[in-house]
Amino acid sequence: MATRFKSSKKRAPTREIEKEMWARGHDVVVGIDEVGRGSWAGPLMVGAAIVPRDTRVNGIRDSKLLTEREREALFPKIAEWCVSWAVGAASQEECDRLGMSAAQKLATRRAIESLTVTPDVAITDGKWDFVSPSVANVELAVKADLRCLSVAAASVLAKVVRDRLMRELAESYPHWSFDTNKGYPCPVHKAAIQGYGPSAIHRRSWVFMDNYNPWTAIRRTPPAGQTSLF
């Protein structure tokens, strides 16, 4: 059942949905959020966060509303505060081979399996359930990343883990400026692909391979059994 909320970037996320889940008898509630879905390179990552019922960390927002410095400052506080948290990943090769939907489900399963406790219900943003069957019950909540404290916490954890990895990978692949663009499309990234072609960590099934890659020997490779473009 989807729950709709009014969008407000200024308002801090609350435990409103978590409290509703607790009232229904779900003792362990996990917030789920993904990062990297729109990236051209690197892994897709899914964060999972189980937050305490009483205390909170000030400043938590959806990761997209925070600067990189703000996210890095919050990361250790959120990590210590959570009852349990984890980040699961699907590699660029898995994104290509499986397709994005299956890769997102895989990353979610890995995150859930890495938690130290088993959740009764998961809260996630949007209208698509990519969590089942990893968690028995799933609550879809529109704008949950803005309104739900555990989902916002999960978004920050996943974003920081992925950004740190992309900065590390930039040392091995300096031409594509992954330290600044984190694999997402931007003019510098597009120019690098046109000049150097795709790196080993680019998602070869993405449509940018047709539009920006002039190296005809390196072709786009759609996932097995799929012909649609991402």
Side-chain angles (χ1 to χ4, degrees):
M1 178 180 178
T3 306
R4 292 181 178 273
F5 294 90
K6 294 181 180 180
S7 174
S8 173
K9 293 184 178 182
K10 295 182 180 180
R11 182 183 173 189
T14 70
R15 293 185 180 88
E16 180 180 343
I17 310 177
E18 289 92 339
K19 289 178 180 178
E20 182 180 343
M21 297 301 103
W22 292 327
R24 293 182 191 176
H26 300 299
D27 290 330
V28 183
V29 181
V30 63
I32 303 287
D33 200 38
E34 61 79 24
V35 63
R37 185 178 176 91
S39 178
W40 285 358
L44 168 73
M45 288 190 172
V46 173
I50 300 172
V51 303
R53 297 193 181 202
D54 46 5
T55 62
R56 69 173 294 147
V57 172
N58 291 329
I60 295 178
R61 299 291 189 277
D62 173 27
S63 62
K64 295 185 292 293
L65 303 182
L66 301 171
T67 65
E68 186 168 305
R69 178 176 293 182
E70 289 171 334
R71 291 191 297 266
E72 284 286 349
L74 278 170
F75 182 87
K77 299 177 183 178
I78 296 174
E80 183 178 0
W81 167 70
C82 283
V83 174
S84 181
W85 71 275
V87 175
S91 68
Q92 67 278 353
E93 186 276 331
E94 289 170 326
C95 290
D96 281 336
R97 176 166 50 84
L98 300 174
M100 181 51 67
S101 296
Q104 191 166 342
K105 283 181 170 286
L106 176 61
T108 303
R109 176 171 61 81
R110 288 171 173 167
I112 296 298
E113 290 177 347
S114 298
L115 293 170
T116 57
V117 292
T118 301
D120 301 316
V121 63
I123 305 168
T124 190
D125 177 47
K127 299 180 180 180
W128 176 55
D129 177 10
F130 58 88
V131 180
S132 297
S134 296
V135 180
N137 303 284
V138 178
E139 182 76 5
L140 302 179
V142 177
K143 300 298 183 183
D145 49 358
L146 294 173
R147 312 304 278 167
C148 178
L149 186 60
S150 60
V151 176
S155 76
V156 174
L157 293 167
K159 177 65 173 171
V160 171
V161 169
R162 188 179 188 278
D163 283 0
R164 288 176 178 178
L165 175 62
M166 295 306 293
R167 289 197 295 269
E168 290 178 8
L169 290 170
E171 297 178 6
S172 299
Y173 305 99
H175 300 309
W176 295 271
S177 302
F178 294 140
D179 55 326
T180 55
N181 62 49
K182 310 304 189 294
Y184 286 92
C186 68
V188 171
H189 192 176
K190 293 174 183 178
I193 293 174
Q194 291 173 328
Y196 300 101
S199 72
I201 65 167
H202 273 94
R203 301 173 185 175
R204 302 300 178 91
S205 62
W206 261 230
V207 72
F208 74 83
M209 291 286 289
D210 291 335
N211 295 341
Y212 298 104
N213 172 39
W215 296 34
T216 56
I218 306 177
R219 301 178 182 277
R220 186 165 61 90
T221 55
Q226 296 190 25
T227 57
S228 63
L229 305 181
F230 291 98

